[in-house]
Amino acid sequence: MFRFIVIVFMLIGSLWSAGLEKKVPILCYHRFGAEVADSMTIKNSSFSEQMEWLRTHGYTVVSLDTAMGYLSGKVKTIPAKSVVITVDDGHKSVYSDMAPMVKKYKIPVTLFIYPSAISNAKYAMTWEQLRELETTKLFRVESHTYWHPNFKHEKKKLSSEEYAKFVDKQLGGAKKKLEENMGHEIKYLAWVFGIYDDALLIDAKRAGYAAAFTIDRKHAASSANMMTEGRYMVISKHTIKDFERMVDGSEDRMPKGKKEGAKY
Ligand SMILES: [Zn+2]
């Protein structure tokens, strides 16, 4: 009997490693430009090169919603080499520089937006521009809190009552504001600076988010907590070889200290 149980466990283990565990790489961008203005700005030619690389190597860019449907078991199959593209912060270069390339490659893109900046901050897009991007059916707006705060600092600064109100505004308030302005359900959240704690994970779920995303450099996975799924931030110094290691899973398999993320 004992031997039988051991064999069953071994079989389950090997099936698991053989691919029962579902994984999808999610990339996180910020800004785009003809020239590199700072580390977070990706040169337009580099982004094009990355999209070409995906195409010639048999990758399919799928929407975040499709990938999360797959990881949670609602969507049965997606292409074997699937990758998701997300962009944080709503910078105006998404409209001016990235959108033409997105239309050219016809790839779905999720924009994580914090509403306080929209139609307000100089560097950000307007609500009209966001709605125009969504009419292409390629872009989809999701939440990046209300005004991009540092939850750790605010927790130290505010009384517990004030902090509870503040969290409610950043999670539930942002969702509501985005839904009013975009006219559709907001399902996903990107943690600001990748900062979260156990209480915030519960708060985000309670606010109605189906999943939330960090900048922990690993594939989003069916075995992971849906409120802390990983993403790879792509910055200007990344070469096409670095990019390849993100999407093919080799960076995910590296020991933690050796990962790209350890360098910045
Ligand atoms: Zn951000």
Side-chain angles (χ1 to χ4, degrees):
M1 186 60 188
F2 178 70
R3 247 175 88 186
F4 174 73
I5 292 171
V6 168
I7 288 167
V8 166
F9 268 96
M10 279 170 68
L11 204 66
I12 290 170
S14 59
L15 278 174
W16 182 263
S17 56
L20 270 188
E21 157 87 313
K22 299 173 191 166
K23 284 186 163 200
V24 183
I26 303 179
L27 304 173
C28 164
Y29 292 88
H30 283 82
R31 301 184 275 277
F32 301 85
E35 296 302 327
V36 170
D38 52 61
S39 71
M40 306 277 260
T41 302
I42 298 292
K43 233 176 158 177
N44 296 338
S45 57
S46 301
F47 185 73
S48 274
E49 187 189 10
Q50 291 164 2
M51 295 308 105
E52 284 294 342
W53 188 92
L54 291 177
R55 189 152 73 174
T56 53
H57 289 78
Y59 283 85
T60 307
V61 181
V62 298
S63 73
L64 183 67
D65 200 38
T66 300
M68 295 320 292
Y70 173 66
L71 294 182
S72 63
K74 283 184 210 114
V75 173
K76 284 292 157 243
T77 54
I78 57 171
K81 291 164 105 178
S82 284
V83 51
V84 174
I85 293 180
T86 68
V87 190
D88 289 7
D89 298 349
H91 196 264
K92 58 188 179 184
S93 62
V94 171
Y95 184 84
S96 59
D97 293 64
M98 189 205 196
M101 300 187 278
V102 168
K103 287 175 197 163
K104 180 185 164 197
Y105 291 102
K106 295 191 177 60
I107 46 175
V109 171
T110 291
L111 302 177
F112 284 113
I113 299 294
Y114 58 102
S116 73
I118 302 306
S119 291
N120 184 23
K122 246 194 195 147
Y123 55 81
M125 285 183 276
T126 63
W127 290 113
E128 291 72 31
Q129 288 173 332
L130 288 176
R131 285 191 285 263
E132 188 191 321
L133 290 182
E134 282 202 345
T135 62
T136 64
K137 305 271 182 227
L138 295 169
F139 287 91
R140 183 79 171 181
V141 167
E142 297 291 349
S143 171
H144 195 29
T145 74
Y146 207 101
W147 63 70
H148 209 278
N150 183 317
F151 281 102
K152 252 189 212 161
H153 292 170
E154 299 296 329
K155 194 172 192 173
K156 270 187 212 151
K157 227 169 57 188
L158 300 173
S159 71
S160 59
E161 202 175 298
E162 286 167 338
Y163 181 70
K165 248 189 213 163
F166 162 82
V167 168
D168 189 46
K169 172 93 177 171
Q170 297 304 326
L171 302 179
K175 187 176 186 302
K176 189 164 172 271
K177 177 85 175 169
L178 288 163
E179 285 173 348
E180 280 165 7
N181 280 280
M182 299 311 299
H184 62 73
E185 191 197 355
I186 299 294
K187 289 172 79 173
Y188 303 114
L189 170 75
W191 292 112
V192 177
F193 311 117
I195 294 172
Y196 59 86
D197 59 28
D198 290 346
L200 284 169
L201 301 186
I202 294 166
D203 292 334
K205 224 176 195 172
R206 202 172 288 151
Y209 292 105
F213 302 87
T214 68
I215 43 170
D216 298 336
R217 303 185 68 82
K218 57 186 181 190
H219 279 32
S222 56
S223 61
N225 182 336
M226 291 270 279
M227 304 315 279
T228 59
E229 293 284 8
R231 289 189 298 165
Y232 298 90
M233 200 194 283
V234 188
I235 63 169
S236 63
K237 67 159 198 163
H238 286 136
T239 63
I240 201 73
K241 194 76 203 159
D242 294 330
F243 183 80
E244 181 177 349
R245 277 192 283 265
M246 294 176 216
V247 295
D248 76 2
S250 32
E251 189 184 327
D252 193 12
R253 288 187 292 271
M254 280 179 197
K256 219 175 176 192
K258 288 243 160 53
K259 287 194 182 192
E260 266 295 297
K263 293 182 205 161
Y264 47 78

